[in-house]
Amino acid sequence: MNEPMPIPALLTGLQLTDSAFPSGYYTLSHGLEGFQQARAVTPRSLPALLHDLLRHSAGPSDATALALTHRAVTAEDWAQVVAVERRLHATKLGREARQAAVRTGRQLLDLADEVYATPQIERYRTLYRDGAVRGCQPVVAGVVHAGNGLTTRQAVTCELFAFAASFVGAALRLRLTDHRRAQVVLHGAAPVIEEAVAAALDRELADLGGCVPLADVMAGRHERAEARLFAS
């Protein structure tokens, strides 16, 4: 039988996935605005798009990087942390995706140092000051979660839920759903999140990287759009 999550760790996970946590996620649509601009998503197809991004983008990319980082931090293998971040950054082909990962990661790193101030965060900040890492959000999140006592599975679950909640929040602002339907979509993603978590935990460094060519195309169009509500 699994041990229950300690209350302090649970509270940290809840805090970091709360939409009020100022990590910069509210500026991102995770590609959704590009799909909307191209009229390639509707309220009816919104859940399927979220599921595909969880399975083939966020799961293989950010969630896998987070899992690998968490394990490396727990093992005090900081060379592995650096390797994970370098590969993650290299696999983000679009400019918006790279910039979003670094911008939100640096914001999280700065705030986490003030809020949590764990030895793991300070060790990562040293690597950042030395130029060894860029501050990509999934890696920073892995460091923060490991330092606050969440297991790897719990940390990955928290972050994939945060991704889904942010995506649904963007759909609300883009008028692709309403508040009631948004909760149905978010709850409906639970089995897919569970699937994506399990897959992320099984991947090695060489397997890190999502593959959603259509999303890359939409992101490229979004970069050149005359008007944008979101940064990605």
Side-chain angles (χ1 to χ4, degrees), residues 80-93:
Q80 175 74 349
V81 172
V82 173
V84 171
E85 180 156 316
R86 288 179 176 173
R87 185 172 183 88
L88 174 65
H89 191 268
T91 61
K92 290 187 177 293
L93 303 181

Side-chain angles (χ1 to χ4, degrees), residues 12 16 21 69-70 73 108-109 112-113 116 118 120-121 139-150:
T12 298
L16 289 170
F21 192 86
T69 297
H70 190 288
V73 172
L108 174 59
L109 179 60
D113 182 56
Y116 306 113
T118 66
Q120 292 85 352
I121 294 172
V139 175
V140 177
V143 173
V144 174
H145 284 304
N148 281 289
L150 276 75

Side-chain angles (χ1 to χ4, degrees), residues 175-191:
R175 298 185 178 182
L176 285 166
T177 189
D178 59 33
H179 285 84
R180 295 175 68 91
R181 179 62 185 168
Q183 295 305 312
V184 174
V185 173
L186 187 57
H187 180 69

Side-chain angles (χ1 to χ4, degrees), residues 2-62:
N2 293 331
E3 290 293 328
M5 189 189 309
I7 294 298
L10 173 60
L11 291 175
T12 298
L14 293 173
Q15 182 178 19
L16 289 170
T17 56
D18 193 307
S19 60
F21 192 86
S23 63
Y25 251 31
Y26 67 93
T27 67
L28 310 179
S29 80
H30 309 286
L32 181 59
E33 187 173 28
F35 279 88
Q36 187 217 35
Q37 290 171 341
R39 298 183 179 181
V41 62
T42 66
R44 184 180 294 274
S45 64
L46 183 69
L49 177 58
L50 173 58
H51 297 174
D52 283 347
L53 292 177
L54 285 166
R55 287 187 174 112
H56 307 297
S57 179
S61 179
D62 291 0

Side-chain angles (χ1 to χ4, degrees), residues 5-6 13 37 40 84 97 101 105 107 146 197 212 216:
M5 189 189 309
Q37 290 171 341
V84 171
Q107 175 70 9
V197 169
V212 188
D216 292 335

